[in-house]
């Protein structure tokens, strides 16, 4: 059972991000991390549909889950794909028993150290715009109450993505989702730049970039774009050998 006080903190933190001009990538990264923390899952990931209705990777609480999400997309097989196609949750699936259902994905997930998986649709009315995936390192089951809570978190993600009256038309919705996908690509590129510059892994590179953005009150996506297009604009972040020894804000932790 998810602890009530921990859950309350998550909803407060997520609600605090639902403000004008909020950072979509930061929001989704926070959501995946917190979903993993309050549930029995070890890690979580999130996929969104692009303008053509094809799922794309958006966020994950760990690099291992990012790789599994990309594997699902490459081979068009896995719980997120099933969840997105049917609009219904995939819950309490033992990966050792799922080789008939996902002959490529299930063994790959087990090799990564996971034993069970869940997936929840991101729904707007009758339209599914993505899926929230959860991976567990044990085969314990999500209780019905916990299933409803995680689906509520997925619904919050959908609300966040569609906020500020962005659902007035299908064109606006498509434009916003495509913008989020473009931002994700830029952030991945910036992580690579920082990782190569400082000789660190991509998880540390992301945390360094996120820390810098929060400290100086910049949008994460703006910093990522600057790193990719003009690294000299932030020399204390992009110069080899530099490091900001500043504590992250309360409640933050390692992100991919």
């Amino acid at each position: 059972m998810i602890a009530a006080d921990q859950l309350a903190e998550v909803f407060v933190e997520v609600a605090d991000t639902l403000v004008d001009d909020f950072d979509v990538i930061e929001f989704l990264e926070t959501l995946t991390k917190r979903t993993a923390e309050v549930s029995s899952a070890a890690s979580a990931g999130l996929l969104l549909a692009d303008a053509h209705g094809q799922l794309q990777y958006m966020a994950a609480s760990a690099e291992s889950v990012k790789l599994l999400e990309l594997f699902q997309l490459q081979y068009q097989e896995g719980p997120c794909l099933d969840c997105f196609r049917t609009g219904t949750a995939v819950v309490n699936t033992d990966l050792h028993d799922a080789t008939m259902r996902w002959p490529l994905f299930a063994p790959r997930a087990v090799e990564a150290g996971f034993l069970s998986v869940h997936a929840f649709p991101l729904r707007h009315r009758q339209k599914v715009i993505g899926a929230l995936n959860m991976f567990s390192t044990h085969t314990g089951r999500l209780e019905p109450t916990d299933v409803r809570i995680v689906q509520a978190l997925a619904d919050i993600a959908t609300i966040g993505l569609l906020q500020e009256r962005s659902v007035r038309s299908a064109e606006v919705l498509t434009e916003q989702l495509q913008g989020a996908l473009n931002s994700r690509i830029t952030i991945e590129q910036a992580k690579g730049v920082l990782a190569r510059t400082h000789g660190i892994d991509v998880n540390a590179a992301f945390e360094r970039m996120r820390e810098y953005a929060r400290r100086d009150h910049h949008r994460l996506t703006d910093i990522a774009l600057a790193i990719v297009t003009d690294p000299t604009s932030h020399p204390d972040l992009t110069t080899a050998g530099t490091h900001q020894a500043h504590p992250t804000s309360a409640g933050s932790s390692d992100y991919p």
Side-chain angles (χ1 to χ4, degrees):
M1 179 67 69
I2 296 173
D5 55 347
Q6 188 180 25
L7 182 63
E9 290 179 6
V10 171
F11 275 97
V12 168
E13 181 178 7
V14 171
D16 283 345
T17 67
L18 300 181
V19 295
D20 290 344
D21 198 34
F22 80 102
D23 192 317
V24 172
I25 302 299
E26 171 82 2
F27 170 69
L28 295 179
E29 291 282 356
T30 298
L31 186 77
T32 56
K33 183 70 174 180
R34 299 298 176 246
T35 298
E37 288 177 352
V38 302
S39 68
S40 62
S43 304
L46 191 144
L47 303 178
L48 279 184
D50 61 17
H52 304 289
Q54 299 297 312
L55 285 176
Q56 304 290 340
Y57 167 76
M58 283 301 298
S61 63
E63 189 72 12
S64 58
V65 169
K66 172 189 170 183
L67 296 177
L68 284 176
E69 300 288 28
L70 293 175
F71 186 88
Q72 288 189 77
L73 296 175
Q74 180 179 357
Y75 292 97
Q76 288 295 292
E77 176 190 294
C80 264
L81 276 296
D82 287 2
C83 176
F84 177 71
R85 290 164 180 160
T86 65
T88 58
V90 175
V91 181
N92 296 327
T93 302
D94 188 323
L95 286 165
H96 283 295
D97 298 332
T99 52
M100 291 292 292
R101 184 175 186 179
W102 306 311
L104 297 175
F105 173 80
R108 184 64 172 261
V110 171
E111 287 176 8
F114 299 110
L115 298 181
S116 62
V117 68
H118 323 275
F120 295 84
L122 272 63
R123 304 171 299 201
H124 170 242
R125 301 192 180 116
Q126 300 304 311
K127 183 178 179 63
V128 180
I129 65 171
L132 176 65
N133 218 28
M134 296 164 55
F135 294 89
S136 295
T137 54
H138 55 82
T139 55
R141 298 177 60 82
L142 282 181
E143 298 298 327
T145 299
D146 293 343
V147 170
R148 290 194 295 272
I149 289 171
V150 176
Q151 183 61 63
L153 288 171
D155 293 341
I156 287 176
T158 308
I159 293 169
L161 290 166
L162 307 181
Q163 71 154 2
E164 290 192 299
R165 303 175 298 279
S166 291
V167 293
R168 287 183 176 178
S169 67
E171 292 77 15
V172 173
L173 172 59
T174 298
E175 180 181 346
Q176 185 184 46
L177 293 179
Q178 189 59 52
L181 292 168
N182 292 340
S183 295
R184 178 75 257 176
I185 293 171
T186 302
I187 286 175
E188 291 299 313
Q189 292 172 336
K191 285 163 59 176
V193 170
L194 291 181
R196 288 191 299 272
T197 299
H198 298 287
I200 56 180
D201 63 30
V202 290
N203 286 341
F206 179 83
E207 184 60 26
R208 185 174 295 198
M209 178 168 57
R210 185 173 184 268
E211 205 174 296
Y212 180 89
R214 284 190 166 186
R215 189 197 74 196
D216 292 348
H217 306 291
H218 293 302
R219 284 166 51 89
L220 181 63
T221 49
D222 291 341
I223 293 298
L225 182 61
I227 291 171
V228 172
T229 59
D230 182 18
T232 62
S233 62
H234 298 284
D236 50 340
L237 178 63
T238 58
T239 302
T242 60
H243 177 63
Q244 300 75 44
H246 299 273
T248 55
S249 58
S252 66
S253 56
D254 291 339
Y255 283 71

